[in-house]
Amino acid sequence: QHAAERELRAAVEEHRAQGGTVILLEPWSGEILAMANWPTFNPNAFSRYPVWQHRNRAIQEIYEPGSTFKIVTASAALEERLVDPADVIDVSAGAIRLGARVIDDVHRYDRLSFTDVIVKSSNVGAVRIGLKLGAERLGRYVRRFGFGQTLSPDFRGESPGIVWDPARLDDSALASVSMGYQVGVTPLQMAAAVASIANGGELVQPRVVRAIGRGPQRVETERRVLRRTVSPRTAAVLTGIMEAVVERGTARAARLDDYQVAGKTGTAAKLVDGRYSRSDYIASFVGFVPSRRPALVVLVVLDSPRRGGYYGGQVAAPVFKRIAEAALRHLGVPPTINPVPPVLVAARRDDGPQPTPAVATRLHPSVLRPVRQGTMPDLAGLGARAALRLTARLGLHAALEGDGIVVAQEPAPGEPVEPGGACTLVLRRERPADAEARRGEGQ
């Protein structure tokens, strides 16, 4: 919380912004680890501050998210199997006409892969994807991700945002929604939606209350899944695309030295007196880290930065970097880039001879065998780290379900795979055969 408040205030002052919000969310449980707004007020002397400053921006401030919302458009297209990451999309040399309206890209491209439409944040590409989806299907995913509704019972006064009825969307309005306009969201909604990608496709209810004390009893707040947004496979593919956004796209300022990051930038012109401003923008970045086993979702929103740029990649992504570094260090999350190898120690038994070091560090044979390109290896019995190394060598985006060792996988061993594809690995604390054997011993 301190890191979020410190870095948000510094960013608002550095960029002379009207204000800003930061949210840190644990994507698996939905726990809100930090929520910061600036400017804020002292509740012990609230009468000294203007009324507008009393609002909790994180749950009450509605904004048009811009390109961070392309995550929803991309998720819908992938889930509906309308596109593959490598599919080429004609982005019309950076402009598309819808009636009298022309939608432009900041940079002009003739043709981009679906992946690069998101990596380079092409408005034209997002519009083409949205038109292919249609208003009804895109509207269904907008609702599925939690927009247009309140999410948490822990907040009074939470805004549901603004989502239009798909039946009222013509092509021009559908184009706007596809790239994050004509939809009003709260920072909490945006963070929760991206958390569902981070955790493999579940929209988890955000919460700030971990437990309630009732006399001598402590009643824990249970994790509540509101609904499934996308399949684990779609979440894994989109995670790989969002990693590329940070590695080579619009969010390179969000890169961390020791952790792989997945994220998306957003820059949206503000609606002022019924017209989109040419000077006031909402700059934002939302990402999760470490990208393959996320510990944090971090959202940064800056309102009307006036100095040092106004793009999300310029002003919001660096704030994410500083906050994420401090939070990961505080939580003790081990690095995922060039990590220190773990020390393997055999369990000590006092009732017999001790094992030699040779058997204490045995590796699964699959780790030692060369990987055959184009073919899915047998990952059964591997731990998460070893399995991820092998899938990474094949260029696959792996979604992990559970903890322990791999007990099931999709695709199956020996099936053909291609770089950029996705796979799902199910992990358990023990092999099913081991559990069965122990049950037999107990009988």
Side-chain angles (χ1 to χ4, degrees):
Q1 179 70 29
H2 173 67
E5 292 178 356
R6 179 190 66 215
E7 299 301 337
L8 176 60
R9 177 177 180 176
V12 169
E13 293 176 349
E14 176 187 353
H15 298 291
R16 293 181 181 171
Q18 288 184 13
T21 295
V22 166
I23 294 176
L24 273 74
L25 196 66
E26 206 286 329
W28 308 96
S29 66
E31 290 187 354
I32 297 171
L33 305 181
M35 179 181 285
N37 298 293
W38 192 262
T40 186
F41 70 101
N42 181 352
N44 294 314
F46 66 90
S47 60
R48 300 178 186 174
Y49 300 84
V51 174
W52 67 266
Q53 212 162 307
H54 297 174
R55 288 179 303 168
N56 183 348
R57 286 173 172 262
I59 64 167
Q60 294 176 307
E61 191 82 359
I62 299 174
Y63 70 103
E64 290 178 296
S67 293
T68 54
F69 201 77
K70 291 172 184 173
I71 293 171
V72 177
T73 306
S75 295
L78 289 168
E79 187 74 0
E80 294 292 319
R81 307 284 180 135
L82 293 181
V83 295
D84 288 321
D87 285 354
V88 176
I89 296 173
D90 180 6
V91 293
S92 308
I96 185 172
R97 180 178 292 275
L98 296 168
R101 181 186 180 195
V102 177
I103 296 174
D104 294 302
D105 277 334
V106 175
H107 302 288
R108 293 187 175 272
Y109 307 99
D110 288 325
R111 297 167 71 81
L112 291 173
S113 68
F114 173 81
T115 293
D116 280 348
V117 165
I118 306 303
V119 170
K120 300 180 184 297
S121 204
S122 167
N123 289 334
V124 176
V127 168
R128 289 201 179 277
I129 295 166
L131 294 175
K132 191 173 183 178
L133 276 164
E136 189 278 328
R137 274 194 293 195
L138 181 57
R140 194 188 326 142
Y141 282 89
V142 170
R143 292 281 184 178
R144 191 180 290 182
F145 272 94
F147 300 104
Q149 57 207 269
T150 58
L151 297 177
S152 177
D154 290 355
F155 297 104
R156 290 187 177 182
E158 180 188 354
S159 171
I162 301 173
V163 172
W164 293 100
D165 182 350
R168 298 176 58 188
L169 298 180
D170 58 16
D171 283 351
S172 179
L174 175 58
S176 294
V177 174
S178 302
M179 57 183 185
Y181 284 88
Q182 291 196 31
V183 57
V185 310
T186 65
L188 182 63
Q189 288 174 336
M190 198 71 236
V194 173
S196 78
I197 300 298
N199 68 31
E202 292 181 333
L203 183 64
V204 181
Q205 186 177 74
R207 55 194 175 93
V208 291
V209 177
R210 177 174 289 173
I212 298 175
R214 292 175 179 166
Q217 292 184 329
R218 174 182 167 90
V219 181
E220 296 279 346
T221 303
E222 294 184 358
R223 176 181 186 265
R224 183 183 176 196
V225 177
L226 299 177
R227 68 186 67 90
R228 176 161 287 281
T229 55
V230 292
S231 66
R233 184 184 186 90
T234 295
V237 172
L238 193 58
T239 294
I241 294 173
M242 293 170 68
E243 288 172 344
V245 172
V246 177
E247 285 300 314
R248 58 182 181 85
T250 58
R252 281 172 281 189
R255 285 186 293 193
L256 302 180
D257 292 336
D258 297 325
Y259 303 89
Q260 195 167 16
V261 177
K264 186 70 189 77
T265 56
T267 308
K270 286 183 66 176
L271 198 61
V272 179
D273 296 328
R275 293 180 177 273
Y276 284 105
S277 173
R278 294 179 179 269
S279 59
D280 289 344
Y281 296 85
I282 298 293
S284 62
F285 177 83
V286 60
F288 49 92
V289 60
S291 57
R292 299 302 172 103
R293 297 288 285 176
L296 294 169
V297 172
V298 183
L299 171 72
V300 179
V301 181
L302 293 180
D303 182 354
S304 304
R306 296 291 180 84
R307 182 173 66 183
Y310 59 85
Y311 289 112
Q314 290 177 305
V315 300
V319 184
F320 165 91
K321 177 179 181 177
R322 294 192 292 269
I323 293 173
E325 286 176 336
L328 292 167
R329 187 165 55 246
H330 174 76
L331 295 173
V333 178
T336 58
I337 298 176
N338 299 321
V340 177
V343 178
L344 302 181
V345 180
R348 182 176 180 83
R349 297 180 58 183
D350 295 329
D351 57 348
Q354 301 303 311
T356 63
V359 300
T361 58
R362 284 189 302 172
L363 296 176
H364 190 280
S366 297
V367 180
L368 305 177
R369 288 200 304 264
V371 174
R372 181 181 174 187
Q373 293 296 322
T375 302
M376 187 68 184
D378 183 1
L379 304 177
L382 289 182
R385 181 176 296 176
L388 287 175
R389 283 178 182 150
L390 291 185
T391 55
R393 287 164 62 184
L394 292 169
L396 300 177
H397 304 302
L400 303 182
E401 298 180 6
D403 296 291
I405 61 174
V406 177
V407 297
Q409 65 182 79
E410 182 189 353
E415 289 190 6
V417 293
E418 295 182 0
C423 65
T424 301
L425 308 180
V426 179
L427 290 82
R428 296 288 182 268
R429 290 290 183 183
E430 57 186 6
R431 297 181 182 89
D434 294 342
E436 188 64 32
R438 253 205 306 281
R439 282 195 292 270
E441 292 173 2
Q443 295 172 355

